[in-house]
Amino acid sequence: MSLAGKTILMSGGSRGIGLAIALRAAADGANIAMLAKTDTPHPKLEGTVHSAAEAIRAAGGQALPIVGDVRDDAQVTEAVLKTQGEFGGIDVVINNASVIDLSRSLDLSAKKYDLMQDVNVRGTFMLSRAAVPVLRDSANPHILSLSPPLNLSPKWLGAHTGYTLAKYGMTMATLGLAAEFADAGIAANTLWPRTTIATAAVQNLLGGDRVMAASRTADIYADAAYSVITKHASSYTGQTLIVEDVLEADGVTDFSSYAAVPGTPDDRLFPDIFLD
């Protein structure tokens, strides 16, 4: 199944994993609307919603950059209506926007706790919910959230409780939507990698150059996301999927091409959080 002519509405996506997923879809000729705050360049981070749109068009897709905040209900509704108006519908919603803070509970500010809940959990729920009436009209509607499986091991519950709550909240919201709208044929799944992905978040928050060198590129996430959202929605829903498992099920057995540093063996890669 191809994404040619299909329309994706994504939160975030100015850079990193979200942009990689958008570019993979654009290669098919997909339409991609991005709701993101990055209207102007960030002093420490590359990319804006406008530069992402340019890259999508260069890759063969159509782009609709929407400057807005997933925390703002009016802007979320406007993004859905703009996307529908521009492209005639919505086939896929990708909940990519996410805030990370791995501070321990006593060190985590209330403001950052609220931000993670607002963007990760509430944003996922509100954007997905706003798009459901339009998704109902798609021949193969999908919701995909970039969040982990629910691992209730004390190791992860206690490692960074505020962030864990926010990411698990994304997953629970998605699984709830999968159950609620199964009869409407709308698939809702989550997707998470086994290893760290070479992104700005890893560079700045998880270990700098050392962890970046022991990570995989965002292309592996993009290829797995593509696989998920091109499957038949009616029979592929309600799952907490792992990137590598998705690709292995598609017959991929060699992941060496995804190493951020070519030649890095799989057993030297840094494992991502939430997976034992």
PDB file of all heavy atoms in Angstrom, residues 101-120:
ATOM      1  N   ASP A 101      12.084  15.578  29.954  1.00  0.00           N
ATOM      2  CA  ASP A 101      12.876  16.046  31.082  1.00  0.00           C
ATOM      3  C   ASP A 101      13.061  14.848  32.010  1.00  0.00           C
ATOM      4  O   ASP A 101      12.096  14.335  32.569  1.00  0.00           O
ATOM      5  CB  ASP A 101      12.190  17.193  31.814  1.00  0.00           C
ATOM      6  CG  ASP A 101      13.106  17.853  32.854  1.00  0.00           C
ATOM      7  OD1 ASP A 101      13.816  17.113  33.584  1.00  0.00           O
ATOM      8  OD2 ASP A 101      13.113  19.092  32.944  1.00  0.00           O
ATOM      9  N   LEU A 102      14.285  14.383  32.125  1.00  0.00           N
ATOM     10  CA  LEU A 102      14.569  13.169  32.894  1.00  0.00           C
ATOM     11  C   LEU A 102      14.916  13.459  34.349  1.00  0.00           C
ATOM     12  O   LEU A 102      15.451  12.605  35.049  1.00  0.00           O
ATOM     13  CB  LEU A 102      15.716  12.394  32.231  1.00  0.00           C
ATOM     14  CG  LEU A 102      15.469  11.957  30.792  1.00  0.00           C
ATOM     15  CD1 LEU A 102      16.667  11.182  30.253  1.00  0.00           C
ATOM     16  CD2 LEU A 102      14.203  11.127  30.677  1.00  0.00           C
ATOM     17  N   SER A 103      14.572  14.642  34.813  1.00  0.00           N
ATOM     18  CA  SER A 103      14.865  15.002  36.204  1.00  0.00           C
ATOM     19  C   SER A 103      14.156  14.062  37.169  1.00  0.00           C
ATOM     20  O   SER A 103      13.052  13.578  36.908  1.00  0.00           O
ATOM     21  CB  SER A 103      14.413  16.439  36.491  1.00  0.00           C
ATOM     22  OG  SER A 103      15.107  17.362  35.693  1.00  0.00           O
ATOM     23  N   ARG A 104      14.803  13.828  38.302  1.00  0.00           N
ATOM     24  CA  ARG A 104      14.169  13.066  39.377  1.00  0.00           C
ATOM     25  C   ARG A 104      13.035  13.910  39.960  1.00  0.00           C
ATOM     26  O   ARG A 104      12.968  15.125  39.762  1.00  0.00           O
ATOM     27  CB  ARG A 104      15.197  12.726  40.445  1.00  0.00           C
ATOM     28  CG  ARG A 104      16.425  11.982  39.930  1.00  0.00           C
ATOM     29  CD  ARG A 104      16.140  10.538  39.633  1.00  0.00           C
ATOM     30  NE  ARG A 104      16.014   9.769  40.877  1.00  0.00           N
ATOM     31  CZ  ARG A 104      15.761   8.456  40.919  1.00  0.00           C
ATOM     32  NH1 ARG A 104      15.575   7.795  39.792  1.00  0.00           N
ATOM     33  NH2 ARG A 104      15.684   7.824  42.072  1.00  0.00           N
ATOM     34  N   SER A 105      12.146  13.263  40.681  1.00  0.00           N
ATOM     35  CA  SER A 105      10.919  13.926  41.129  1.00  0.00           C
ATOM     36  C   SER A 105      11.175  15.189  41.947  1.00  0.00           C
ATOM     37  O   SER A 105      10.489  16.204  41.776  1.00  0.00           O
ATOM     38  CB  SER A 105      10.062  12.955  41.931  1.00  0.00           C
ATOM     39  OG  SER A 105       9.621  11.899  41.104  1.00  0.00           O
ATOM     40  N   LEU A 106      12.164  15.165  42.840  1.00  0.00           N
ATOM     41  CA  LEU A 106      12.417  16.318  43.694  1.00  0.00           C
ATOM     42  C   LEU A 106      13.086  17.463  42.941  1.00  0.00           C
ATOM     43  O   LEU A 106      13.088  18.604  43.416  1.00  0.00           O
ATOM     44  CB  LEU A 106      13.258  15.920  44.902  1.00  0.00           C
ATOM     45  CG  LEU A 106      12.625  14.897  45.855  1.00  0.00           C
ATOM     46  CD1 LEU A 106      13.542  14.641  47.050  1.00  0.00           C
ATOM     47  CD2 LEU A 106      11.251  15.372  46.327  1.00  0.00           C
ATOM     48  N   ASP A 107      13.632  17.157  41.773  1.00  0.00           N
ATOM     49  CA  ASP A 107      14.316  18.181  40.978  1.00  0.00           C
ATOM     50  C   ASP A 107      13.469  18.706  39.833  1.00  0.00           C
ATOM     51  O   ASP A 107      13.805  19.730  39.230  1.00  0.00           O
ATOM     52  CB  ASP A 107      15.622  17.613  40.408  1.00  0.00           C
ATOM     53  CG  ASP A 107      16.585  17.185  41.497  1.00  0.00           C
ATOM     54  OD1 ASP A 107      16.680  17.903  42.508  1.00  0.00           O
ATOM     55  OD2 ASP A 107      17.229  16.124  41.344  1.00  0.00           O
ATOM     56  N   LEU A 108      12.377  18.024  39.524  1.00  0.00           N
ATOM     57  CA  LEU A 108      11.539  18.407  38.390  1.00  0.00           C
ATOM     58  C   LEU A 108      10.638  19.578  38.774  1.00  0.00           C
ATOM     59  O   LEU A 108       9.880  19.502  39.743  1.00  0.00           O
ATOM     60  CB  LEU A 108      10.689  17.212  37.958  1.00  0.00           C
ATOM     61  CG  LEU A 108       9.749  17.433  36.768  1.00  0.00           C
ATOM     62  CD1 LEU A 108      10.541  17.707  35.495  1.00  0.00           C
ATOM     63  CD2 LEU A 108       8.839  16.215  36.583  1.00  0.00           C
ATOM     64  N   SER A 109      10.725  20.656  38.006  1.00  0.00           N
ATOM     65  CA  SER A 109       9.885  21.813  38.307  1.00  0.00           C
ATOM     66  C   SER A 109       8.429  21.507  37.965  1.00  0.00           C
ATOM     67  O   SER A 109       8.131  20.730  37.054  1.00  0.00           O
ATOM     68  CB  SER A 109      10.351  23.039  37.517  1.00  0.00           C
ATOM     69  OG  SER A 109      10.063  22.880  36.139  1.00  0.00           O
ATOM     70  N   ALA A 110       7.524  22.150  38.682  1.00  0.00           N
ATOM     71  CA  ALA A 110       6.103  21.979  38.397  1.00  0.00           C
ATOM     72  C   ALA A 110       5.782  22.441  36.980  1.00  0.00           C
ATOM     73  O   ALA A 110       4.944  21.846  36.277  1.00  0.00           O
ATOM     74  CB  ALA A 110       5.271  22.749  39.415  1.00  0.00           C
ATOM     75  N   LYS A 111       6.446  23.490  36.544  1.00  0.00           N
ATOM     76  CA  LYS A 111       6.204  24.018  35.193  1.00  0.00           C
ATOM     77  C   LYS A 111       6.570  22.985  34.131  1.00  0.00           C
ATOM     78  O   LYS A 111       5.819  22.801  33.156  1.00  0.00           O
ATOM     79  CB  LYS A 111       7.017  25.297  34.992  1.00  0.00           C
ATOM     80  CG  LYS A 111       6.797  25.967  33.648  1.00  0.00           C
ATOM     81  CD  LYS A 111       7.581  27.268  33.546  1.00  0.00           C
ATOM     82  CE  LYS A 111       7.348  27.951  32.211  1.00  0.00           C
ATOM     83  NZ  LYS A 111       8.119  29.225  32.109  1.00  0.00           N
ATOM     84  N   LYS A 112       7.697  22.317  34.311  1.00  0.00           N
ATOM     85  CA  LYS A 112       8.109  21.323  33.315  1.00  0.00           C
ATOM     86  C   LYS A 112       7.217  20.079  33.389  1.00  0.00           C
ATOM     87  O   LYS A 112       6.901  19.475  32.354  1.00  0.00           O
ATOM     88  CB  LYS A 112       9.583  20.952  33.519  1.00  0.00           C
ATOM     89  CG  LYS A 112      10.134  20.006  32.461  1.00  0.00           C
ATOM     90  CD  LYS A 112       9.988  20.554  31.042  1.00  0.00           C
ATOM     91  CE  LYS A 112      11.000  21.635  30.730  1.00  0.00           C
ATOM     92  NZ  LYS A 112      12.365  21.161  30.581  1.00  0.00           N
ATOM     93  N   TYR A 113       6.804  19.700  34.592  1.00  0.00           N
ATOM     94  CA  TYR A 113       5.862  18.575  34.725  1.00  0.00           C
ATOM     95  C   TYR A 113       4.589  18.884  33.934  1.00  0.00           C
ATOM     96  O   TYR A 113       4.106  18.052  33.160  1.00  0.00           O
ATOM     97  CB  TYR A 113       5.520  18.326  36.191  1.00  0.00           C
ATOM     98  CG  TYR A 113       4.465  17.251  36.393  1.00  0.00           C
ATOM     99  CD1 TYR A 113       4.828  15.919  36.538  1.00  0.00           C
ATOM    100  CD2 TYR A 113       3.114  17.576  36.412  1.00  0.00           C
ATOM    101  CE1 TYR A 113       3.862  14.935  36.700  1.00  0.00           C
ATOM    102  CE2 TYR A 113       2.142  16.605  36.556  1.00  0.00           C
ATOM    103  CZ  TYR A 113       2.519  15.290  36.714  1.00  0.00           C
ATOM    104  OH  TYR A 113       1.553  14.318  36.863  1.00  0.00           O
ATOM    105  N   ASP A 114       4.047  20.088  34.135  1.00  0.00           N
ATOM    106  CA  ASP A 114       2.826  20.470  33.439  1.00  0.00           C
ATOM    107  C   ASP A 114       3.032  20.513  31.924  1.00  0.00           C
ATOM    108  O   ASP A 114       2.149  20.115  31.154  1.00  0.00           O
ATOM    109  CB  ASP A 114       2.340  21.836  33.926  1.00  0.00           C
ATOM    110  CG  ASP A 114       1.793  21.798  35.343  1.00  0.00           C
ATOM    111  OD1 ASP A 114       1.494  20.691  35.843  1.00  0.00           O
ATOM    112  OD2 ASP A 114       1.669  22.876  35.960  1.00  0.00           O
ATOM    113  N   LEU A 115       4.193  20.991  31.494  1.00  0.00           N
ATOM    114  CA  LEU A 115       4.479  21.063  30.060  1.00  0.00           C
ATOM    115  C   LEU A 115       4.488  19.673  29.437  1.00  0.00           C
ATOM    116  O   LEU A 115       3.926  19.460  28.354  1.00  0.00           O
ATOM    117  CB  LEU A 115       5.817  21.765  29.834  1.00  0.00           C
ATOM    118  CG  LEU A 115       6.252  21.922  28.374  1.00  0.00           C
ATOM    119  CD1 LEU A 115       5.260  22.789  27.605  1.00  0.00           C
ATOM    120  CD2 LEU A 115       7.664  22.514  28.309  1.00  0.00           C
ATOM    121  N   MET A 116       5.114  18.715  30.104  1.00  0.00           N
ATOM    122  CA  MET A 116       5.159  17.352  29.575  1.00  0.00           C
ATOM    123  C   MET A 116       3.759  16.753  29.503  1.00  0.00           C
ATOM    124  O   MET A 116       3.400  16.082  28.518  1.00  0.00           O
ATOM    125  CB  MET A 116       6.086  16.472  30.411  1.00  0.00           C
ATOM    126  CG  MET A 116       7.561  16.793  30.222  1.00  0.00           C
ATOM    127  SD  MET A 116       8.670  15.543  30.911  1.00  0.00           S
ATOM    128  CE  MET A 116       8.432  15.779  32.680  1.00  0.00           C
ATOM    129  N   GLN A 117       2.953  16.987  30.522  1.00  0.00           N
ATOM    130  CA  GLN A 117       1.584  16.481  30.494  1.00  0.00           C
ATOM    131  C   GLN A 117       0.771  17.153  29.383  1.00  0.00           C
ATOM    132  O   GLN A 117       0.013  16.499  28.660  1.00  0.00           O
ATOM    133  CB  GLN A 117       0.911  16.718  31.853  1.00  0.00           C
ATOM    134  CG  GLN A 117       1.393  15.800  32.961  1.00  0.00           C
ATOM    135  CD  GLN A 117       0.939  14.365  32.765  1.00  0.00           C
ATOM    136  OE1 GLN A 117      -0.182  14.109  32.339  1.00  0.00           O
ATOM    137  NE2 GLN A 117       1.806  13.420  33.087  1.00  0.00           N
ATOM    138  N   ASP A 118       0.950  18.447  29.233  1.00  0.00           N
ATOM    139  CA  ASP A 118       0.172  19.194  28.249  1.00  0.00           C
ATOM    140  C   ASP A 118       0.515  18.790  26.815  1.00  0.00           C
ATOM    141  O   ASP A 118      -0.371  18.606  25.974  1.00  0.00           O
ATOM    142  CB  ASP A 118       0.388  20.701  28.418  1.00  0.00           C
ATOM    143  CG  ASP A 118      -0.375  21.268  29.599  1.00  0.00           C
ATOM    144  OD1 ASP A 118      -1.242  20.561  30.142  1.00  0.00           O
ATOM    145  OD2 ASP A 118      -0.104  22.430  29.975  1.00  0.00           O
ATOM    146  N   VAL A 119       1.803  18.684  26.507  1.00  0.00           N
ATOM    147  CA  VAL A 119       2.217  18.363  25.140  1.00  0.00           C
ATOM    148  C   VAL A 119       2.062  16.874  24.863  1.00  0.00           C
ATOM    149  O   VAL A 119       1.444  16.463  23.870  1.00  0.00           O
ATOM    150  CB  VAL A 119       3.667  18.817  24.889  1.00  0.00           C
ATOM    151  CG1 VAL A 119       4.149  18.330  23.514  1.00  0.00           C
ATOM    152  CG2 VAL A 119       3.780  20.328  24.991  1.00  0.00           C
ATOM    153  N   ASN A 120       2.635  16.055  25.733  1.00  0.00           N
ATOM    154  CA  ASN A 120       2.697  14.620  25.455  1.00  0.00           C
ATOM    155  C   ASN A 120       1.329  13.954  25.548  1.00  0.00           C
ATOM    156  O   ASN A 120       0.896  13.280  24.611  1.00  0.00           O
ATOM    157  CB  ASN A 120       3.662  13.938  26.415  1.00  0.00           C
ATOM    158  CG  ASN A 120       5.079  14.487  26.321  1.00  0.00           C
ATOM    159  OD1 ASN A 120       5.330  15.504  25.686  1.00  0.00           O
ATOM    160  ND2 ASN A 120       6.011  13.836  26.987  1.00  0.00           N
TER     161      ASN A 120
END
